[in-house]
Amino acid sequence: MSWRALGVLFAVALLALLLDAFGPGRHAPPPSAGVAGQLLLPQMASDNARVTRIEVQPAHAPGVSLLRGTRGWWVQQLGAPADAELVQTWLTRLARARILAAKTRLPSRYALLDVADPGQPGAGLALQLSGSLAWPQVLIGRYDARQQGTFVRLRGHRQSLLVAGDLAPPSRAVDWMQHPLLSLPASAVLQIDLISPRGARFLLDRSLDGAPRVVTAPRGLRQPLARGALLLGIFDGLDYSGVYARVATPPQALRLRALLSDGSLLTLSAWRGRDGHALGNLSIQAPVGGLPPEAAAGLARTAARVQAHTWQLVPGIWSLLRDALDAKDTRPRTAPPLTMPPAASGRASVQAALRPPPTAAAWAALRGAP
């Protein structure tokens, strides 16, 4: 190659670099782009309540849309309320996100940071906010633990950035909902009745001093008291990994009925779905005598939330239920109907009803053998 040809190639390369840096095809950066210490989205600093819609689109998974309505935030894909505290916490984190450093402007290197445009190799998560203001789409890349920051790029701008902290939002619809599903301490559960459709039954209540005692257990069950203690705590952090439209409980479901210290009845029906996951329906029934207004309102809110869907339970729940009925005795039995006692004035009076005198017929019906 001649010296003249090399000179031409050098001139073309230099011109391309100059056009890339200063040419008309370059997008103007946002006010804060590339300025360390400034906010990534200064529009949010004054009032993030202007955001009325959040769209999260992972690179290789279904997107999630959150809508703000008169009843608060809502997960559009599930038709269910979002965890308002989680949404607000994440919006606040996004509003306070500050730039640590400017990174590459070369599209060929975006994939290294996972900030390529959606649909392109090396794309990460695309975030779009909507509301009374026009928001740029934020392309959220990978988190760098060493630098304690997240790589991002505002779509339409060539400059990629490193922003302080972990900026990635939850990417699954179910993760925007409230977790756990229930959080009742074991001390609030006075009686547990677990029944298999094939007849096996595990029944546990509490003695006068509050200690758990096994009333009925499947024949041959090992360590029934230890298993019963685990069942008493099943609603302490009861969580889920998926949510579906409510379906009818199938006949093969295991049924767990729990009598609570306020006289409420909590029922969990669990079964294996076609894909092998454990599914469950929950129901809550108030005590016959009712509850004080504030407690009744809280119970009603919880009941409305847990009864609205069929839940995909975390794997440990199914194992806990199955193991408590894992025994040799599977003779068909029928559980007695349960009539709940009136609300007790205090925990001591409820515990006293677990023993004779037999005036607490409802408790006796739950405790008695079928």
Side-chain angles (χ1 to χ4, degrees):
M1 183 179 293
S2 66
W3 286 105
R4 181 177 181 180
L6 287 174
V8 170
L9 289 176
F10 177 79
V12 170
L14 180 61
L15 178 61
L17 288 174
L18 291 174
L19 286 174
D20 177 66
F22 305 105
R26 174 179 176 267
H27 293 280
S32 61
V35 182
Q38 292 199 13
L39 295 172
L40 174 68
L41 298 173
Q43 308 99 309
M44 294 186 66
S46 58
D47 185 11
N48 61 33
R50 297 179 180 181
V51 180
T52 57
R53 183 183 182 96
I54 303 171
E55 295 177 79
V56 180
Q57 181 57 65
H60 306 291
V64 182
S65 298
L66 304 176
L67 307 177
R68 190 204 294 265
T70 56
R71 294 180 294 171
W73 285 99
W74 203 258
V75 185
Q76 184 177 23
Q77 285 73 14
L78 301 177
D83 185 340
E85 183 178 351
L86 170 64
V87 176
Q88 188 58 45
T89 299
W90 183 79
L91 283 175
T92 300
R93 184 196 311 171
L94 184 63
R96 295 176 178 175
R98 293 188 177 274
I99 299 171
L100 294 178
K103 294 299 179 179
T104 183
R105 298 181 65 255
L106 300 177
S108 61
R109 300 184 65 83
Y110 289 162
L112 299 176
L113 310 181
D114 292 340
V115 294
D117 284 347
Q120 300 297 317
L125 184 147
L127 170 72
Q128 182 64 63
L129 305 179
S130 303
S132 59
L133 298 177
W135 306 90
Q137 187 177 50
V138 184
L139 306 178
I140 301 177
R142 62 180 178 85
Y143 176 74
D144 189 311
R146 183 178 62 84
Q147 301 183 79
Q148 297 184 353
T150 304
F151 295 111
V152 303
R153 184 170 66 86
L154 302 184
R155 191 170 185 179
H157 300 273
R158 302 194 63 163
Q159 184 71 66
S160 61
L161 305 165
L162 179 66
V163 177
D166 187 355
L167 210 59
S171 59
R172 300 189 310 156
V174 69
D175 293 336
W176 284 101
M177 296 179 66
Q178 185 174 342
H179 290 265
L181 186 57
L182 285 173
S183 186
L184 294 172
S187 59
V189 181
L190 299 183
Q191 204 158 36
I192 285 287
D193 191 7
L194 175 62
I195 303 171
S196 163
R198 293 185 294 176
R201 187 183 189 195
F202 188 101
L203 179 60
L204 178 141
D205 65 10
R206 294 184 182 275
S207 60
L208 288 175
D209 61 359
R213 63 168 190 169
V214 176
V215 179
T216 301
R219 185 177 302 170
L221 182 69
R222 293 176 297 175
Q223 299 180 319
L225 188 58
R227 295 178 189 272
L230 292 175
L231 284 177
L232 284 173
I234 196 171
F235 299 111
D236 189 2
L238 178 66
D239 211 350
Y240 59 99
S241 56
V243 58
Y244 308 95
R246 181 87 172 194
V247 299
T249 299
Q252 74 270 22
L254 304 179
R255 294 180 185 270
L256 176 68
R257 300 182 295 179
L259 200 53
L260 307 183
S261 57
D262 64 358
S264 303
L265 176 65
L266 178 59
T267 301
L268 169 64
S269 301
W271 68 95
R272 285 282 193 184
R274 293 181 179 178
D275 57 2
H277 292 127
L279 303 178
N281 284 338
L282 280 159
S283 64
I284 301 177
Q285 188 175 345
V288 175
L291 292 170
E294 184 176 349
L299 185 142
R301 287 192 299 268
T302 301
R305 183 171 67 89
V306 304
Q307 294 173 179
H309 303 279
T310 291
W311 309 92
Q312 180 180 314
L313 304 173
V314 294
I317 301 299
W318 176 258
S319 300
L320 187 60
L321 297 174
R322 180 200 59 201
D323 292 348
L325 295 174
D326 184 14
K328 302 174 183 178
D329 186 5
T330 57
R331 292 175 297 173
R333 299 179 183 179
T334 302
L338 176 64
T339 304
M340 291 181 300
S345 58
R347 178 172 173 78
S349 61
V350 176
Q351 290 180 346
L354 296 177
R355 290 283 195 180
T359 52
W363 292 87
L366 178 61
R367 188 174 66 248

